[in-house]
Amino acid sequence: QVQLVESGGGLVQAGGSLRLACSASGPSFSTYTVGWFRQSIGREREFVAAVRANGGYKYYADDVKGRFTISRDNAKMTVYLQMNSLKPEDTAVYYCAADRRIILSSIWGAGNYDHWGQGTQVTVSS
C-alpha cells in the first residue's frame, strides 16, 4: 500500500512560482500513475495534472497548460508539480493521488484514485 505526503505549499504573489512535491512510501511506487488535484472552498476537487508510471505520458487541465509541469523521479519516489505564473484562482489545497490500474479515460476523475495524501495549501495573493 503506497502512502503519499505532499509538501511545498505556501503563500506567493501572483506571477510567482512554487514547486510541490509528493513523496511516496511503500512498494512498487514506480508502477503507479500519480495525479495532482486541487480543491478550493465551495468547489469540488478538480484535476490538475497526472503522470503515468514511467513518466512518459503527462496530462494537464486546460487552465494550467503552459504554466504547470508535472514530473517524477521514481528513484526518489517523488512526483513534482512545478507551478509558474501563478494566479489568485490557483489558490487551493493541492492533493496528490496514486493508482496502479487507472485507465486513460478515468485519469481526470478524483474518484478513480485509491491513494491520497493529506494536501498542502497554496495561496496566491493578487
Side-chain angles (χ1 to χ4, degrees), residues 81-96:
L81 185 69
Q82 177 67 44
M83 306 187 295
N84 299 329
S85 303
L86 282 161
K87 305 174 182 179
E89 50 265 43
D90 294 318
T91 295
V93 177
Y94 283 71
Y95 300 88
C96 66

Side-chain angles (χ1 to χ4, degrees), residues 58-79:
K58 302 175 182 180
Y59 310 91
Y60 297 93
D62 286 343
D63 58 350
V64 306
K65 281 180 184 177
R67 300 189 298 123
F68 291 10
T69 302
I70 191 170
S71 62
R72 69 188 296 161
D73 184 337
N74 284 335
K76 294 183 178 179
M77 299 179 66
T78 302
V79 173

Side-chain angles (χ1 to χ4, degrees), residues 34-52:
V34 177
W36 283 97
F37 291 78
R38 65 187 180 187
Q39 188 168 19
S40 53
I41 295 173
R43 300 187 64 175
E44 293 186 355
R45 195 165 296 189
E46 63 177 8
F47 173 81
V48 176
V51 60
R52 285 300 204 179

